[in-house]
């Protein structure tokens, strides 16, 4: 019963969007080239099943590698930045460049440095997804209750004890907020990276979208875009599962979420 209550609202919303899409196409007489019907897109999943599956797996591999790198490096960077105000003031402004740099301009440079393929695409996914992890880790580390810091000082806790028993547990909710943002961004970064750094011999969804657009297979384009969205949703769901596993037994945000799901 709980599963039905969880799945039913988004399923109904999806059905409404599909019906609105089909109705708008018919009412306004939109051509198939501009906007294929939902049924044409559904048929594309069968017609182009093999290339779509291969492309999805390729993009998933790159986005997962980039996301995993952003988790490791982003959390480590947040910990280092939180260790001293002077380090934060000296380094943090430069991490903002990772969020503001235009990826389409950086991707050709990465191709020159690392050649086309998996490495360049993975770095693109990393560049896009790492900043939210850094920012939210730093926020969580900086928001620890000062009274708890005083308590650890009274007991002469070591730097490692303060980090692993106070600062990191306190920062976990903020860290997972950053991971939720980064999960979708990693997929976006991988696909944008594939536009410039992907290969046609081992094509991901980005290359598939470009090639399908050139041959005017708009139903295949929409199917590829849909699968890219599914990848982002899967990554987001995995982060939510991890957040519930780490926080569900003690943090109020996940406890309230569990109560709402009941």
């Amino acid at each position: 019963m709980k599963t039905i209550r969880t799945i039913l609202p988004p399923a109904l919303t999806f059905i409404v969007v599909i019906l609105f899409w089909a109705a708008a196409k018919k009412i306004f007489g939109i051509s198939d080239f501009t906007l294929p019907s939902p049924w044409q897109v559904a048929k594309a999943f069968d017609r182009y099943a093999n290339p779509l599956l291969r492309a999805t797996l390729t993009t998933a591999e790159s986005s997962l590698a980039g996301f995993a790198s952003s988790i490791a490096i982003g959390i480590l960077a947040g910990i280092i930045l939180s260790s001293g105000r002077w380090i934060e003031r000296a380094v943090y402004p430069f991490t903002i460049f990772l969020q503001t740099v235009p990826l389409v301009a950086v991707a050709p440079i990465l191709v020159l440095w690392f050649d086309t393929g998996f490495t360049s695409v993975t770095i693109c996914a990393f560049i896009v997804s790492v900043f939210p992890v850094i920012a939210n880790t730093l926020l969580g580390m900086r928001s620890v209750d000062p009274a708890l810091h005083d308590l650890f000082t009274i007991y002469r806790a070591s730097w490692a004890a303060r980090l692993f028993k106070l600062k990191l547990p306190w920062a976990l909710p903020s860290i997972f907020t950053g991971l939720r943002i980064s999960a979708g961004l990693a997929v976006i970064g991988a696909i944008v990276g594939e536009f410039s750094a992907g290969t046609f011999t081992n094509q991901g969804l980005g290359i598939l979208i470009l090639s399908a657009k050139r041959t005017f297979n708009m139903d295949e384009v929409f199917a590829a875009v849909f699968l890219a969205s599914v990848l982002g949703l899967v990554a987001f769901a995995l982060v939510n599962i991890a957040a519930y596993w780490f926080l569900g037994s003690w943090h109020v945000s996940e406890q309230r979420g569990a109560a709402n799901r009941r």
Side-chain angles (χ1 to χ4, degrees), residues 46-64:
D46 179 60
R47 187 181 309 151
Y48 308 106
N50 288 333
L52 283 172
L53 178 60
R54 289 195 301 269
T56 302
L57 293 176
T58 299
T59 300
E61 184 181 9
S62 299
S63 57
L64 180 61

Side-chain angles (χ1 to χ4, degrees), residues 151-169:
L151 181 63
F152 271 65
T153 301
I154 291 172
Y155 284 96
R156 299 181 180 179
S158 65
W159 179 87
R162 191 184 296 266
L163 174 63
F164 291 106
K165 295 184 178 181
L166 175 61
K167 295 175 72 175
L168 270 178

Side-chain angles (χ1 to χ4, degrees), residues 57-75 98 103 110 117-134 178-179 181-191 194 235:
L57 293 176
T58 299
T59 300
E61 184 181 9
S62 299
S63 57
L64 180 61
F67 183 46
S69 300
S70 71
I71 293 174
I73 296 175
I75 292 177
L98 295 171
L103 191 59
L110 295 177
F118 175 79
T119 301
S120 296
V121 175
T122 298
I123 294 174
C124 288
F126 166 77
I127 290 173
V128 172
S129 61
V130 70
F131 180 75
V133 183
I134 297 175
L179 296 185
I181 299 170
S182 296
L185 290 177
V187 178
I188 295 172
I191 291 175
E194 286 170 349

